[in-house]
Amino acid sequence: MKHIPLVLLLLCACSGGDPTPTGTVCPDPDPMTLTYDNFGREFMTKYCTWCHDSSLPRSKRNGAPLYHDFDTLLGVLQVPDHIDEETGIGPDATNRFMPPDRCPSELGGVANTNCAKPTDEERKQLAEWIACERNRPHNFNVDAGVDAP
Ligand code: HEC
């Protein structure tokens, strides 16, 4: 019995802590190295939208919360801190909470296969892309420009 606390301690150490902001800062000036078109969209499609997709109703998301939809840039920029804290690597934290271990092999299916996992280098790039992208000018208005005076 006296070994149980030690076992619990080790389990906690292995789980890698809690989601933590990576502290990643976009270089100034923004180098524009990582963009939605050359990085973000593909990252999200490869690793995240299996569950975090706006086309998926609650029952087909394998538990992913509603309003965390990463199939558009707008969706990503609605929760940039959460993404950084779950998936990014930077000076202050290494977050490998997402994706989880089991994924659907087709959109909306049951989790029947191992999730593809980003490399640590990709996680660093994700944190930098998010840090930069959130400060860039965006206009998500559907008729932007059309009705503008
Ligand atoms: C197999 C389905 C699945 C995939 C793939 C997946 N997630 Fe999740 N995600 C979940 C589930 C389930 C939760 C809720 C439980 C949890 O937070 O661990 C969640 C929660 C989250 C949250 C919300 C945490 C909060 O603050 O409430 C974020 C942010 C997130 N995921 C980001 C991502 C990112 C980024 C990716 C891709 C790298 C990803 N997820 C891939 C299932 C998934």
Side-chain angles (χ1 to χ4, degrees):
M1 274 307 271
K2 74 184 210 270
H3 293 295
I4 285 175
L6 179 64
V7 168
L8 287 177
L9 192 74
L10 291 174
L11 283 177
C12 292
C14 292
S15 75
D18 293 323
T20 307
T22 65
T24 305
V25 175
C26 185
D28 183 20
D30 182 347
M32 292 296 291
T33 327
L34 298 166
T35 64
Y36 186 56
D37 282 339
N38 76 15
F39 177 78
R41 182 188 290 111
E42 195 185 333
F43 183 98
M44 292 298 158
T45 307
K46 202 165 164 191
Y47 302 119
C48 312
T49 54
W50 296 105
C51 307
H52 295 272
D53 190 297
S54 61
S55 72
L56 296 175
R58 189 192 292 271
S59 60
K60 299 199 166 165
R61 300 172 70 89
N62 280 287
L66 294 171
Y67 309 114
H68 282 66
D69 293 322
F70 307 139
D71 51 312
T72 63
L73 178 56
L74 173 60
V76 169
L77 291 179
Q78 280 168 339
V79 290
D81 294 319
H82 288 172
I83 295 174
D84 180 77
E85 290 164 22
E86 295 284 339
T87 311
I89 295 183
D92 296 348
T94 293
N95 296 311
R96 300 195 193 93
F97 303 99
M98 287 284 143
D101 290 331
R102 297 293 284 169
C103 268
S105 52
E106 54 183 340
L107 194 65
V110 295
N112 58 6
T113 189
N114 290 335
C115 294
K117 300 267 180 141
T119 63
D120 283 3
E121 184 56 32
E122 289 176 302
R123 290 184 188 277
K124 284 181 200 154
Q125 291 177 318
L126 175 74
E128 177 172 335
W129 171 61
I130 294 280
C132 291
E133 189 69 61
R134 65 190 301 166
N135 294 329
R136 293 175 188 157
H138 300 101
N139 188 346
F140 295 114
N141 210 334
V142 250
D143 53 7
V146 175
D147 292 332

